[in-house]
């Protein structure tokens, strides 16, 4: 049995490592579900589709910086009586790399999977392959591109680095759905097919309501039948916003269908947000159109960054799911959005004036697809809010943040001997704090504004976390062994579920430490003295964590033939009194730490293919595959050690025997 069990553990370990690199590991998801409120717990982690939670300082969701504590604003340049910011400065500020295409007069900013394409003298930009129409055109001066400060602060920064948004992160519990039109206002029509926008919008809203309620949200509809909400159009639109505000809405979505009849060729999906203050709406830029700029800030403008994030998520998910053409994320002075006190978006799902799209919209199955696409967009938005919402007590707890890494150089700087580090977490905390104080000159000053959760003082506790989860898993196996003998089917299933959860969370930690950047102060680019000129790019962490795995298409099937049985971890007592499992785990981290510089050497040689147009280089892929196999082997070795060394819970056995009416357990039942 042991060889089979050993191979099964090795296979399971590798599966979890690969899953973790796509951020869909059972343990990671289970861990988040335990920590987030119901609506967020059901939301899968969205863009970036990497293991970004928890991350390290300088990545997308820096746990040391609550949402309102973003870096200082960038310098501005006055162009055409407006404040503009250099795209080069934006790239450096956000940790993005830039690539200029002179022929297209186009600058591409990228970091891992995220990409923003700016073109000189154009309002249209491409963010993560989705079209966005800015309020002001990108400007070119002295060989550099500039983005208006309004577009950067109220739109782009929330899409690229939501942790840099200075507007507090909104909650998300109550969602108001607004089926457009109604009553005497049918909206757009396709008379040959007998389709009315008001009917289709209500049908989609009711379908979406069911999906959102199933995820734990409170959902309010502005109308549930065929009616206008006020005699005049303006009053009707204002009434819809009033319903949202009086309901305490955290998100408002107005659902519509488009038409350009008699033009039957145009098709696709577009989303609208309320025009940002000091800018023209998208329609105002048309030939012969008057400038409709408004200087006053509308109520909904106060949440512009989060509204832009919501629009982007809805737009991306809708065009992806429905395979409609991308007509862009646009702005308009819409009465239904103006007075909102929450992020609000209007979506035009498709064109009823287009024969093909109208015929699809006529079918209930396709309207269900529309609702599911919108739900996916809201889910994606919710996931980003969850990663950026400040929750300082939670972030201070090890499982949410500091248990995912250990910067070994800090231990040495504090005067600790890496060969004698204690296996007791709190003894280590005392020793490290004393060492840090005694060698303060070796540690950078901590910025209080970036340390609201009081974690910057610590080097990380990954080896202690893994060892502690080993103890929990071993105990869980001991519990399961008794339950399989004397428990009910439900009790056995519950014991197994607990074990899967423990294995998954442990797998997240072990997988993190297979990535050398989780063991070093150089986690987000090389810091300090840098005689070899290694990369300072902050995005290197997320790219190694999962970006290259996705780009190279590394799969379990390809790696499975290379799996070898894990080595046995000896748990005999040690003369130095340290826990043997802790020593094995710490040695594992030390081995990965030795690969930090080779990793940076590969990056310097261009082996990690982080530019989108670059082909995957075999040397870089081989490095990542090797680390996946290493992490899988270590994880499976810990799992096996927990199973083999699990002692059946004798107290539990005694109680279960009594429950069965057998009095004290017999010698036979003890075996």
């Amino acid at each position: 049995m042991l060889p089979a069990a050993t191979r099964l553990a090795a296979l399971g370990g590798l599966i979890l490592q690969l899953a973790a690199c796509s951020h869909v590991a059972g343990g990671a998801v289970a861990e988040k579900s335990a920590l987030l409120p119901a609506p967020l717990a059901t939301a899968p982690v969205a863009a970036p589709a990497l293991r970004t939670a928890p991350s390290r300082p300088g990545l997308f969701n820096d746990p040391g910086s609550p949402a309102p504590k973003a870096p200082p604003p960038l310098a501005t340049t006055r162009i055409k009586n407006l404040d503009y910011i250099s795209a080069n400065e934006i790239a450096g500020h956000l940790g993005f790399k830039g690539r200029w295409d002179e022929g297209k007069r186009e600058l591409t900013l990228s970091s891992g999977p995220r990409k923003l394409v700016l073109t000189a003298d154009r309002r249209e930009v491409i963010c993560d392959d989705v079209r966005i129409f800015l309020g002001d055109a990108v400007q070119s001066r002295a060989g550099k591109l500039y983005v208006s400060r309004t577009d950067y602060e109220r739109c782009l920064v929330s899409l690229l680095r939501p942790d840099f948004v200075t507007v507090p992160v909104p909650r998300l519990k109550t969602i108001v759905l607004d089926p457009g039109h109604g009553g005497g206002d049918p909206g757009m029509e396709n008379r040959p097919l007998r389709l009315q926008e008001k009917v289709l919008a209500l049908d989609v809203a009711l379908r979406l309501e069911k999906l959102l309620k199933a995820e734990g949200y409170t959902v309010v509809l502005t109308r549930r039948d065929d009616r206008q909400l006020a005699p005049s159009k303006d009053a009707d639109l204002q009434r819809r916003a009033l319903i949202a505000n009086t309901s305490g809405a955290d998100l408002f979505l107005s659902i519509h269908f488009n038409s350009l009849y008699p033009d039957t060729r145009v098709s696709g999906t577009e989303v609208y947000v309320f025009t940002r203050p000091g800018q023209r709406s998208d329609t105002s830029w048309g030939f012969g159109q008057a400038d409709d700029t408004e200087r006053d800030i509308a109520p909904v403008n106060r949440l512009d960054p989060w509204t832009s994030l919501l629009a982007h998520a809805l737009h991306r998910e809708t065009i992806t799911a429905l395979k409609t053409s991308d007509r862009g994320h646009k702005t308009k002075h819409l009465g239904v959005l103006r007075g909102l006190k929450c992020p609000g978006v209007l979506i035009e799902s498709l064109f009823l004036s287009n024969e093909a799209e109208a015929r699809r919209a006529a079918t209930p199955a396709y309207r269900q697809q529309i609702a599911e696409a919108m739900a996916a967009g809201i889910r994606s938005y919710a996931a980003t809010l969850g990663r950026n919402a400040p929750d300082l007590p939670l972030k201070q707890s090890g499982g949410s943040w500091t248990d995912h890494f250990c910067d070994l150089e800090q231990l040495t700087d504090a005067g600790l001997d890496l060969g004698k580090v204690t296996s007791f977490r709190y003894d280590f905390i005392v020793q490290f704090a004393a060492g840090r104080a005694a060698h303060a000159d070796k540690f950078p000053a901590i910025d209080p504004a970036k340390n609201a959760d009081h974690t910057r003082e610590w080097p990380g506790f990954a080896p202690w976390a893994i060892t502690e989860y080993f103890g929990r898993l071993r105990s869980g196996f001991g519990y399961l062994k008794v339950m399989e003998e004397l428990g009910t089917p439900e009790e056995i299933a519950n014991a197994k579920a607990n074990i899967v959860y423990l294995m998954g969370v442990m797998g997240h930690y072990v997988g993190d430490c297979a990535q050398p950047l989780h063991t070093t102060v150089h986690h987000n680019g090389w810091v300090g003295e840098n005689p070899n000129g290694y990369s300072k790019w902050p995005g290197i962490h997320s790219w190694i964590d999962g970006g290259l795995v996705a780009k190279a298409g590394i799969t379990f099937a390809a790696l499975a033939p290379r799996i070898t049985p894990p080595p046995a971890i000896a748990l005999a007592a040690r003369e130095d009194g340290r826990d043997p499992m802790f020593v094995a785990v710490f040695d594992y981290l030390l081995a990965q730490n030795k690969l930090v510089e080779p990793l940076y050497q590969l990056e310097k040689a261009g082996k990690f293919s982080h530019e989108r147009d670059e082909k995957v280089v075999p040397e870089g892929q081989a490095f990542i595959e090797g680390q996946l196999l290493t992490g899988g082997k270590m994880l499976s070795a810990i799992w096996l050690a927990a199973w083999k060394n699990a002692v059946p819970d004798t107290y539990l056995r005694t109680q279960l025997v009594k429950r069965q009416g057998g009095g004290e357990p017999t010698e036979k039942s003890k075996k």
Side-chain angles (χ1 to χ4, degrees):
M1 287 295 293
L2 185 56
T6 300
R7 181 163 179 78
L8 181 61
L11 290 167
L14 178 58
I15 289 173
L16 194 57
Q17 301 309 297
L18 281 167
C21 287
S22 299
H23 206 75
V24 292
V29 173
E31 182 182 31
K32 282 195 160 295
S33 297
L35 299 175
L36 295 176
L40 296 185
T42 57
V45 178
L50 303 177
R51 291 171 53 228
T52 60
S55 69
R56 303 300 304 271
L59 288 183
F60 296 115
N61 60 320
D62 182 356
S65 303
K69 295 290 185 180
L74 294 169
T76 59
T77 299
R78 200 72 176 167
I79 301 175
K80 296 183 178 179
N81 294 320
L82 295 174
D83 286 338
Y84 273 79
I85 301 173
S86 162
N88 290 352
E89 274 202 60
I90 291 173
H93 191 61
L94 302 185
F96 279 55
K97 289 191 172 184
R99 187 177 71 247
W100 173 252
D101 185 325
E102 179 62 35
K104 297 180 180 179
R105 293 179 55 74
E106 187 176 272
L107 178 65
T108 300
L109 306 182
S110 62
S111 176
R114 292 190 165 175
K115 183 176 73 170
L116 175 67
V117 182
L118 305 169
T119 306
D121 305 317
R122 294 191 63 181
R123 288 191 307 112
E124 181 183 346
V125 303
I126 306 296
C127 183
D128 299 336
D129 299 321
V130 176
R131 300 171 73 196
I132 299 174
F133 289 87
L134 302 179
D136 299 301
V138 175
Q139 298 293 323
S140 176
R141 289 291 185 278
K144 295 182 180 180
L145 296 190
Y146 290 79
V147 175
S148 78
R149 177 180 175 180
T150 298
D151 284 322
Y152 171 72
E153 293 182 348
R154 292 180 174 269
C155 178
L156 296 179
V157 70
S158 63
L159 312 185
L160 302 174
R161 287 292 301 268
D163 56 315
F164 277 28
V165 174
T166 57
V167 179
V169 181
R171 68 173 192 173
L172 185 53
K173 295 182 179 179
T174 301
I175 297 174
V176 172
L177 303 179
D178 173 44
H181 308 283
D185 175 14
M188 302 302 177
E189 295 183 283
N190 184 311
R191 293 183 178 178
L193 295 178
R194 298 182 179 179
L195 297 178
Q196 291 184 318
E197 181 181 5
K198 66 176 183 179
V199 176
L200 300 179
L202 178 59
D203 183 80
V204 169
L206 292 170
R207 293 173 185 274
L208 180 55
E209 178 188 31
K210 291 180 181 178
L211 295 172
L212 296 175
K213 281 188 172 181
E215 296 191 11
Y217 294 105
T218 298
V219 183
V220 176
L221 267 65
T222 56
R223 66 179 181 93
R224 291 185 172 275
D225 50 24
D226 185 13
R227 69 172 68 184
Q228 278 185 268
L229 303 185
S232 70
K233 184 65 175 178
D234 286 345
D236 176 88
L237 296 175
Q238 292 173 17
R239 176 65 181 166
R240 294 168 193 261
L242 180 62
I243 290 172
N245 292 339
T246 55
S247 300
D250 304 309
L251 183 157
F252 179 89
L253 176 59
S254 192
I255 300 170
H256 289 257
F257 291 81
N258 224 331
S259 178
L260 281 177
Y261 191 82
D263 185 338
T264 60
R265 296 172 299 173
V266 177
S267 64
T269 300
E270 55 192 14
V271 299
Y272 284 92
V273 301
F274 193 80
T275 306
R276 295 175 279 275
Q279 294 188 326
R280 299 171 66 164
S281 68
D282 191 72
T283 53
S284 171
W285 285 98
F287 180 76
Q289 297 296 315
D291 185 339
D292 64 354
T293 300
E294 295 182 3
R295 301 297 174 185
D296 294 336
I297 298 177
V300 72
N301 285 137
R302 300 185 189 281
L303 291 161
D304 275 344
W306 301 117
T307 293
S308 296
L309 180 69
L310 172 61
H312 189 64
L314 282 165
H315 191 45
R316 181 185 63 241
E317 296 296 336
T318 301
I319 62 176
T320 299
L322 303 183
K323 296 181 173 56
T324 49
S325 59
D326 179 1
R327 286 184 51 81
H329 164 173
K330 303 175 179 179
T331 73
K332 195 172 185 179
H333 291 113
L334 293 166
V336 74
L337 301 180
R338 180 186 295 275
L340 292 173
K341 297 179 181 179
C342 66
V345 171
L346 184 147
I347 184 167
E348 301 273 12
S349 307
L350 49 78
F351 279 78
L352 296 182
S353 52
N354 180 278
E355 183 74 9
E357 289 195 342
R359 288 191 179 278
R360 287 196 290 271
T363 66
Y366 194 73
R367 295 196 296 276
Q368 182 66 24
Q369 288 183 41
I370 295 174
E372 290 173 355
M374 293 178 182
I378 292 172
R379 202 176 296 125
S380 172
Y381 169 74
T384 302
L385 294 188
R387 290 197 300 275
N388 288 279
D391 193 337
L392 302 184
L394 176 61
K395 290 176 178 178
Q396 232 272 334
S397 67
S400 178
W401 165 222
T402 52
D403 281 359
H404 295 255
F405 64 94
C406 185
D407 296 342
L408 296 177
E409 299 92 344
Q410 288 198 43
L411 276 61
T412 303
D413 288 343
L416 301 183
D417 185 341
L418 296 183
K420 298 180 180 180
V421 175
T422 177
S423 49
F424 293 103
R425 182 193 286 253
Y426 296 109
D427 286 358
F428 166 73
I429 290 174
V430 172
Q431 293 170 8
F432 180 80
R436 181 182 178 113
H439 302 278
D441 58 308
K442 295 186 178 181
F443 293 88
I446 297 173
D447 181 355
K450 296 182 178 180
N451 192 37
D453 58 1
H454 296 188
T455 59
R456 299 296 175 110
E457 297 89 343
W458 308 114
F461 304 103
W464 292 270
I466 294 170
T467 305
E468 291 158 7
Y469 266 91
F470 165 76
R472 295 184 183 110
L473 182 59
R474 180 168 56 179
S475 176
F477 278 134
Y479 185 91
L480 175 63
K481 289 179 179 180
V482 177
M483 280 300 180
E484 288 183 325
E485 177 188 350
L486 299 168
T488 66
E490 183 179 4
E491 289 169 336
I492 294 170
N494 185 63
K496 289 181 177 179
N498 288 337
I499 285 172
V500 169
Y501 169 79
L502 293 170
M503 294 171 80
V505 177
M506 179 195 291
H508 193 128
Y509 298 153
V510 174
D512 277 342
C513 294
Q515 210 271 61
L517 298 183
H518 278 260
T519 71
T520 177
V521 295
H522 307 294
H523 42 259
N524 294 338
W526 199 268
V527 296
E529 295 183 6
N530 191 7
N532 296 311
Y534 295 138
S535 175
K536 297 181 180 180
W537 176 43
I540 189 173
H541 187 112
S542 61
W543 186 248
I544 299 300
D545 252 6
L548 185 54
V549 174
K551 183 173 183 176
I554 299 173
T555 64
F556 171 74
L559 295 183
R562 297 164 57 186
I563 294 174
T564 57
I569 298 177
L571 297 183
R574 294 174 53 88
E575 290 185 4
D576 62 5
R578 294 197 300 163
D579 182 89
M581 177 55 71
F582 174 83
V583 173
V585 171
F586 201 85
D587 287 346
Y588 166 67
L589 265 72
L590 287 172
Q592 310 322 307
N593 183 259
K594 291 179 180 178
L595 297 175
V596 171
E597 191 155 2
L599 183 155
Y600 274 96
Q601 290 169 350
L602 286 171
E603 196 284 335
K604 184 177 180 181
K607 304 300 183 183
F608 286 137
S609 317
H610 47 70
E611 298 293 347
R612 287 206 174 193
D613 298 334
E614 290 180 342
K615 293 182 178 179
V616 174
V617 179
E619 293 94 327
Q621 180 170 342
F623 181 90
I624 299 298
E625 290 178 348
Q627 293 310 110
L628 287 170
L629 290 165
T630 296
K633 180 180 286 189
M634 183 62 181
L635 180 58
S636 58
I638 298 174
W639 285 351
L640 278 176
W643 170 254
K644 291 169 62 179
N645 292 276
V647 178
D649 189 323
T650 55
Y651 176 79
L652 177 62
R653 176 181 278 130
T654 298
Q655 299 306 309
L656 292 180
V657 169
K658 287 182 179 180
R659 185 179 70 178
Q660 293 179 352
E664 293 299 321
T666 64
E667 288 301 317
K668 181 178 180 180
S669 70
K670 292 180 181 178
K671 295 180 181 178

